[in-house]
Amino acid sequence: MEVNLRTSMHVKKVLTRVRVICEKIHSPHPLGIFYGENPFDYSFSLILFEIILIISISRIIRILLKPLRQPRIISDILGGIVIGPSVLGQCPTFSRIVFPENAVYLVQNIGIMGFMFFLFLAGVKMDLTLVRKSGKKHVCIALIGVFIPVAVVAVVGAVLRSSMDTELARVSGIGAVAGDLALTSFPVIYLVLKELNLLSSEVGRIALAVAVIADALGIFTIVAFEALKQAETNGQNSIWYLISVFALGAFFVLPVRRLMIWIVKRTPEGKPAEQAFVIFIFLGVLVMGFFTDLFGMAIANGSLWFGLVVPDGPPLGATIVERSETIVMEILMPFAFAFIGLCTNVFSMTNYGWSRLAPLFTMFIMGYISKVIAVFLAAAYFEMPLKDSLALSLTLNLRGQLELLIYIHWIDKRIIGIPMFTMLVLLTMLMTGICTPLIGILYNPTRPYMVNRRRTIQHSAPGKELRIVICIYDEENVAGLIDLLEVSYPTTNNPFSIYAFHLVDLVGRATPLFIDHDKSDEYLKYTEHESIYKAFKIYQEPRDEFVKLHFFTAFAARRTMYQDICALALSNRSSLIILPFEKGKIDALSGTEIVRHGHGLQSINSNVIDHAPCSVGILIDKSHVRNSFMAQNFRQTTSSNYVILFLGGADAREALTYADRMAMNPEVSLLVVRFLAYNNVGEDEMEKKLDDGLVTSFWVKNEKNERVIYREVLVRNGEETLAAIQAFHGNANDLWIVGRKQGINPVILQGLTNWSENDELGVIGDYVASHDFGSTASVLVIHQQVMKGKGATTEA
């Protein structure tokens, strides 16, 4: 009888904690509103509406916050808060219809899956070899940025322990807070740097390297916290937890890692991984999440660790990211932020009371401040500029998805409740929302390129080595670029130093790579890298006495490739950057169709022109519609006919100086056509004098050269300019050379300025490259360096 009484009391005690919900189960699909049915009473229609609502609200907020330079994470969190009890959830009708109890259950579980796949992709993109490759500066900044906040938060927590809630006041609770604030969130930092176009910048590279090291330490911090939490219940539980962690880690490092390497070896060179392998790996994410949850670990651990053992980059990492990133970021993650929003209730903070929130608030604020100061002082110690040091410290304090998932885990462990969770979500938004625009204000990645020295062909001393950066996007660019180098006529008296720069889109990895193949040939083993290198080497070896070749590869995001190009040109004091204009397909469409290329490459070329520390040339290679403008085997066997259209201005002067080098080639015939406004209408006197001086010098030098012809054309408007260009158009032409647009008399282009579709080519360059012009000759557009600083000087 006593046993039954105790059992009954236990059951009653349990039942008081149980919330019973009676819901009528409907079929998933309604017959339709014309049958008088409410689509919100059916599960499938309701979940579709929730997806539409969540994505639409976050998108609208993102548009509104864009002028404030806020990152996407802020709009996503706010979107979740709007649909939660803090805003729309205050309306009982909205909560009852749109987010009933059974729908919240579904949103929460899909949201957790979204976090799992997000962290898996973050793990795939992380390059743990950075820990081994990092220098003293990165390691010291990472260690200081981790241990100083841990110590400060631990001390503050110990002082305020008496005023904390019971669970938070435990050693494991204070340790959890200290560990979270010490953590440097690599996934969040990567996304924000990507939005700010700072991935390839110096501060961006340092931040990513430090974040990888700090996160490696952070993993141990999380494991230690979990072990402490397990030990509070039973010391034996802690031992079993650690055994399961080490067993799972060994499983990842040994069989799983070897399996991934086997998949990479099995994949043919240049091909994506097989679909079956990708599906198997996605299934593995769910399996690892199940086991980490089973062992009592944070559910994110399994997916993150699993991502870390997947080789980043092509073929496997790139394939996984390309096939899943859009679904994860645009479909699953909105559910994750909806989950966060449904758990966030700003009104609960008022009921809870400031006195109970203050200790945790103080710990977090002190943690943020100590991390900013510690990283700033460490970076300044290594002689980083003060603004860069502050930008780095703010970058390493960015908070986002990883922290939100940790806070959810704290709710599960009963360390915090909804009021504290709400405060932490708001602090996360506040920290990231303040840091992100400050980083953009403090740090300008293009500032180093603002040189005050002339680095142009025109201002290079005769006989001085000409340094040229040649950019290659793919194998198709190689032939035309090498042809251009050969007709530029390097000789013993005019030596060239070539910096061949292969640019590869950063897919499947987060950290940009810059490789100097004079120091490492690691990536030459890949077919495309090797074939490009061999092509330039074949060109250079017979000319070894007067052509030096340096080969580089950069893995970078397309939006930041221009930074790598400008940095390479700056460090090697180059006078010219040559960029390929992606030709695409020339078709027979009517209208002014240009040689098309992708938006990404157009952006690269435009950004290089805007920020280059030297002159820039853009080559539109049309060798796919006629024979290459240079004969095979890099040797001229027949005369080539080049036409330079001289419309005046700095770009035209740079183009004429470059063409002058070509005129020294005995196999090149050059026609120089100078355009002048009738009665000198609209001429800038200074520009006219500079043009006259250079043209006179050129003609005096080439007056007796039978292969050089000079013509002048008077025009009244843009229509006459195009008619004159057409008059010089012939099938015998092999290359058009034209200045981009600096200093051109507006009268010469009157009526044409709205015609151009590609600003990087200028009006005339765009025209002669277009289908309407009808020429099969390649086009070289030259842009002379624009001085970014005051007091320009000529470099010795």
Side-chain angles (χ1 to χ4, degrees):
M1 190 72 180
E2 185 180 356
V3 174
N4 292 337
L5 180 60
R6 289 181 179 177
T7 304
S8 177
M9 290 175 63
H10 177 70
V11 169
K12 288 181 179 179
K13 185 177 180 180
V14 171
L15 287 176
T16 58
R17 300 180 184 177
V18 175
R19 186 180 179 188
V20 180
I21 300 173
C22 296
E23 289 276 350
K24 182 179 179 181
I25 299 176
H26 295 274
S27 58
H29 306 287
L31 294 174
I33 58 173
F34 301 110
Y35 288 84
E37 293 183 334
N38 183 355
F40 293 108
D41 291 337
Y42 295 84
S43 58
F44 185 73
S45 300
L46 181 60
I47 199 67
L48 288 181
F49 180 78
E50 289 172 349
I51 294 173
I52 295 168
L53 181 66
I54 294 166
I55 295 176
S56 299
I57 290 177
S58 62
R59 288 281 182 176
I60 292 170
I61 295 175
R62 195 179 310 170
I63 294 171
L64 295 176
L65 293 181
K66 189 174 182 180
L68 301 178
R69 305 171 78 173
Q70 292 298 312
R72 174 176 175 174
I73 178 69
I74 300 299
S75 60
D76 287 339
I77 296 175
L78 283 174
I81 291 175
V82 166
I83 66 170
S86 299
V87 184
L88 294 179
Q90 285 293 300
C91 175
T93 304
F94 175 85
S95 298
R96 177 176 52 81
I97 295 176
V98 181
F99 287 102
E101 292 288 345
N102 53 357
V104 170
Y105 165 80
L106 182 63
V107 169
Q108 290 176 345
N109 282 279
I110 297 178
I112 292 295
M113 289 177 60
F115 277 124
M116 287 172 55
F117 277 98
F118 171 80
L119 291 176
F120 166 71
L121 292 181
V124 172
K125 295 175 183 179
M126 286 178 69
D127 182 7
L128 289 181
T129 60
L130 285 176
V131 178
R132 175 172 49 84
K133 297 176 182 178
S134 297
K136 179 181 177 181
K137 176 169 71 173
H138 302 94
V139 174
C140 289
I141 293 175
L143 292 176
I144 292 172
V146 168
F147 290 117
I148 295 297
V150 166
V152 170
V153 173
V155 170
V156 173
V159 172
L160 300 176
R161 191 174 184 183
S162 59
S163 59
M164 295 181 187
D165 288 351
T166 304
E167 290 296 327
L168 184 60
R170 296 178 185 271
V171 174
S172 61
I174 296 174
V177 175
D180 172 68
L181 291 168
L183 193 68
T184 301
S185 183
F186 179 91
V188 180
I189 290 173
Y190 163 71
L191 290 175
V192 174
L193 289 176
K194 186 177 180 181
E195 289 186 50
L196 294 175
N197 290 336
L198 295 178
L199 284 177
S200 294
S201 66
E202 182 182 2
V203 167
R205 290 177 184 272
I206 294 174
L208 290 175
V210 171
V212 170
I213 300 170
D215 278 359
L217 297 173
I219 290 175
F220 291 105
T221 304
I222 292 173
V223 171
F225 152 68
E226 292 289 348
L228 281 173
K229 194 65 181 173
Q230 296 276 358
E232 289 174 355
T233 304
N234 189 324
Q236 190 175 359
N237 292 348
S238 178
I239 295 173
W240 281 113
Y241 169 78
L242 291 174
I243 290 174
S244 63
V245 168
F246 287 120
L248 191 63
F251 175 69
F252 280 131
V253 173
L254 297 175
V256 176
R257 176 67 178 179
R258 291 180 180 180
L259 177 62
M260 298 301 160
I261 294 173
W262 177 80
I263 293 174
V264 170
K265 291 181 178 179
R266 179 185 170 89
T267 304
E269 188 70 42
K271 301 290 184 179
E274 293 182 19
Q275 181 76 2
F277 293 139
V278 176
I279 294 173
F280 173 78
I281 291 171
F282 289 156
L283 180 61
V285 178
L286 301 177
V287 172
M288 295 309 166
F290 172 79
F291 278 109
T292 49
D293 204 29
L294 180 68
F295 294 148
M297 307 179 197
I299 197 169
N301 285 340
S303 56
L304 177 62
W305 297 355
F306 188 39
L308 290 174
V309 299
V310 176
D312 62 332
L316 188 55
T319 303
I320 290 172
V321 171
E322 285 182 329
R323 295 184 182 178
S324 63
E325 189 169 38
T326 301
I327 295 296
V328 171
M329 297 302 296
E330 304 298 337
I331 302 298
L332 293 181
M333 283 307 292
F335 278 96
F337 290 109
F339 177 25
I340 297 298
L342 291 171
C343 294
T344 303
N345 188 347
V346 295
F347 300 101
S348 66
M349 294 172 60
T350 304
N351 299 330
Y352 197 68
W354 169 249
S355 60
R356 300 175 68 183
L357 293 173
L360 185 61
F361 177 84
T362 304
M363 291 170 68
F364 266 78
I365 294 298
M366 292 304 296
Y368 291 150
I369 294 173
S370 63
K371 194 177 185 70
V372 169
I373 295 174
V375 173
F376 172 77
L377 293 177
Y381 173 79
F382 287 100
E383 299 181 349
M384 285 184 64
L386 294 182
K387 283 188 176 181
D388 293 4
S389 299
L390 184 55
L392 178 63
S393 65
L394 294 174
T395 302
L396 295 179
N397 260 288
L398 293 170
R399 308 273 122 181
Q401 292 91 337
L402 182 58
E403 286 72 24
L404 296 176
L405 185 57
I406 289 174
Y407 304 154
I408 288 291
H409 184 60
W410 290 356
I411 291 180
D412 293 338
K413 296 293 184 180
R414 296 183 176 85
I415 295 175
I416 61 175
I418 294 300
M420 288 186 178
F421 175 83
T422 301
M423 183 185 70
L424 295 182
V425 171
L426 297 179
L427 282 175
T428 297
M429 279 202 312
L430 184 66
M431 190 65 188
T432 302
I434 292 174
C435 288
T436 302
L438 284 179
I439 294 167
I441 293 170
L442 288 169
Y443 184 66
N444 179 7
T446 66
R447 187 171 58 242
Y449 319 139
M450 298 180 184
V451 297
N452 62 351
R453 290 181 176 273
R454 285 289 184 186
R455 291 181 178 173
T456 69
I457 305 173
Q458 181 185 352
H459 297 90
S460 296
K464 182 183 177 181
E465 179 183 63
L466 182 63
R467 301 183 177 189
I468 304 177
V469 173
I470 301 290
C471 299
I472 308 116
Y473 299 131
D474 53 50
E475 292 183 7
E476 294 182 1
N477 304 146
V478 174
L481 292 170
I482 292 179
D483 289 349
L484 181 62
L485 288 175
E486 178 60 12
V487 298
S488 300
Y489 203 55
T491 63
T492 305
N493 295 327
N494 293 287
F496 280 17
S497 188
I498 307 300
Y499 301 90
F501 197 18
H502 185 200
L503 294 143
V504 184
D505 196 11
L506 187 70
V507 180
R509 54 165 56 95
T511 309
L513 293 177
F514 181 86
I515 304 163
D516 182 350
H517 293 287
D518 290 342
K519 301 176 181 178
S520 171
D521 60 354
E522 177 183 357
Y523 283 87
L524 286 179
K525 61 185 178 182
Y526 297 113
T527 304
E528 187 177 40
H529 301 303
E530 185 178 12
S531 59
I532 292 173
Y533 175 76
K534 284 183 176 179
F536 277 94
K537 202 66 180 174
I538 290 171
Y539 163 75
Q540 182 262 341
E541 284 178 347
R543 304 161 179 81
D544 188 59
E545 293 183 3
F546 48 86
V547 175
K548 296 177 182 178
L549 176 65
H550 309 276
F551 194 69
F552 303 86
T553 299
F555 293 84
R558 284 188 180 270
R559 292 193 297 178
T560 59
M561 280 182 180
Y562 76 95
Q563 296 175 13
D564 294 278
I565 296 169
C566 293
L568 182 65
L570 180 67
S571 61
N572 292 286
R573 293 178 296 168
S574 300
S575 298
L576 180 65
I577 298 170
I578 297 179
L579 302 162
F581 188 92
E582 200 70 359
K583 55 182 176 291
K585 179 182 179 182
I586 299 181
D587 48 25
L589 295 175
S590 59
T592 53
E593 288 297 318
I594 190 68
V595 184
R596 296 291 179 186
H597 62 79
H599 173 73
L601 296 182
Q602 184 180 28
S603 176
I604 295 171
N605 292 353
S606 297
N607 281 323
V608 171
I609 288 173
D610 290 340
H611 303 292
C614 61
S615 296
V616 179
I618 299 178
L619 175 65
I620 301 99
D621 176 23
K622 296 187 181 181
S623 57
H624 62 300
V625 292
R626 63 167 294 157
N627 292 331
S628 178
F629 63 83
M630 196 199 79
Q632 298 295 323
N633 301 321
F634 312 131
R635 292 184 178 276
Q636 292 285 350
T637 55
T638 58
S639 178
S640 297
N641 299 311
Y642 300 161
V643 180
I644 175 169
L645 304 175
F646 189 94
L647 284 81
D651 293 345
R653 293 192 291 271
E654 187 77 353
L656 182 60
T657 306
Y658 193 28
D660 189 24
R661 286 178 174 265
M662 297 179 179
M664 294 186 288
N665 191 327
E667 301 298 333
V668 168
S669 296
L670 181 66
L671 171 61
V672 179
V673 183
R674 184 181 185 187
F675 292 82
L676 296 169
Y678 190 78
N679 288 334
N680 295 323
V681 178
E683 295 284 3
D684 182 282
E685 186 176 348
M686 179 57 69
E687 291 288 346
K688 181 70 163 49
K689 287 182 178 180
L690 293 173
D691 292 344
D692 290 341
L694 184 66
V695 169
T696 302
S697 175
F698 170 81
W699 183 239
V700 168
K701 178 182 176 182
N702 294 282
E703 186 176 7
K704 296 181 180 180
N705 188 343
E706 296 180 353
R707 294 176 289 101
V708 176
I709 301 172
Y710 175 76
R711 296 283 186 268
E712 289 187 354
V713 178
L714 297 178
V715 295
R716 291 182 174 85
N717 50 47
E719 184 179 354
E720 292 188 4
T721 300
L722 296 187
I725 293 173
Q726 280 284 1
F728 291 101
H729 166 40
N731 293 328
N733 294 340
D734 298 290
L735 177 68
W736 296 88
I737 306 171
V738 60
R740 182 169 169 259
K741 64 180 182 180
Q742 286 187 94
I744 298 178
N745 184 344
V747 172
I748 295 176
L749 301 179
Q750 187 177 354
L752 303 178
T753 52
N754 295 326
W755 180 89
S756 178
E757 296 181 358
N758 296 273
D759 185 63
E760 71 236 66
L761 300 181
V763 175
I764 301 302
D766 201 357
Y767 175 68
V768 295
S770 68
H771 174 75
D772 271 5
F773 186 56
S775 174
T776 57
S778 297
V779 181
L780 178 64
V781 178
I782 300 291
H783 170 83
Q784 190 176 70
Q785 174 200 15
V786 177
M787 301 301 293
K788 305 297 195 305
K790 296 181 180 180
T793 59
T794 303
E795 189 174 65

